[in-house]
Structures are given as C-alpha cells and as structure tokens.
Amino acid sequence: MEKHEIEFAPTVLVFYPYKQEVDKYVNPSPDSLKDSISKQNEYYKIIMLSKIERVFQEIIVKVSSAPMVVFIKGTPTEPKCKFIRRLLAHLSKYEVSFKSYNILEDERIRQWLIVYSN
C-alpha cells in the first residue's frame, strides 16, 4: 500500500504490461475508469495487430521460400512425432524436394500458423 501511496478508498491501480508506471485513480467514477481502460485497450489492439502482421509476414516469407514447404515438429533428421516420420518417409520415397521449418523453435510461428492456415 505504501509503495503506491494509497490513502483513500476506493483507490484503483491499473497495471499495464507495456508500461512501467501505474495509473492510479482515487475515488474514480465508473465512466472515467471505463474511458481510461478503453484507451489502453485500443493501444494494445494496435500493438497486437502489429505483432500479428509481423508474424504473418514471416510465415508468408517462409511459405514462399520454396515450391514445397513443410512445417514440422523437429527436423528432417530428427522428427519429433510419428506423423512427421511417416510424412518424411513418403517425401523421401517419392524423392520430393522440400524446405522444412522446425515449429518447435519458434512458438509464435507455431501458434499463428494455425490461424494463418485457416
């Protein structure tokens, strides 16, 4: 309580992941809180959309890097699941050349690839 100098109730502290400072509201009206939080939500939407666009651009670059691209768990020499082992066996059997990306190395790509593929 002393750290944020709270002396009156109600006092609302709003913490944000991208800001060092804390917003402090002493006896706030619901409208003032709503306005403040709405402004911050817009700010975070812009940040998130920017991040999503960057990840999608990375995916597009990877997908465009070769005629056949596979996103796999592991590497062609060390696949991490049975499905990928079977996939790689078929690609090898038919001598299909491809470029691969290990989705276990980049969690952002792994998560957003699901959205991108839909």
Side-chain angles (χ1 to χ4, degrees), residues 8-47:
F8 301 99
T11 296
V12 178
L13 299 176
V14 182
F15 296 86
Y16 302 105
Y18 294 104
K19 287 175 64 177
Q20 290 286 11
E21 61 272 0
V22 175
D23 287 346
K24 178 178 165 183
Y25 300 91
V26 178
N27 197 18
S29 72
D31 288 338
S32 67
L33 278 178
K34 179 183 171 213
D35 290 345
S36 175
I37 292 171
S38 293
K39 287 177 188 173
Q40 289 301 319
N41 282 343
E42 289 303 313
Y43 172 74
Y44 292 114
K45 281 181 193 174
I46 291 167
I47 289 174

Side-chain angles (χ1 to χ4, degrees), residues 86-102:
R86 288 194 305 259
L87 170 68
L88 295 172
H90 286 296
L91 293 173
S92 177
K93 177 181 174 180
Y94 294 105
E95 298 177 354
V96 175
S97 63
F98 62 92
K99 186 165 188 174
S100 67
Y101 292 98
N102 182 355

Side-chain angles (χ1 to χ4, degrees), residues 58-83:
E58 287 180 50
I59 292 171
I60 290 167
V61 167
K62 290 178 186 309
V63 167
S64 304
S65 67
M68 173 80 156
V69 177
V70 291
F71 292 87
I72 61 176
K73 292 178 181 176
T75 64
T77 55
E78 292 185 37
K80 299 294 182 188
C81 72
K82 291 179 189 177
F83 172 77

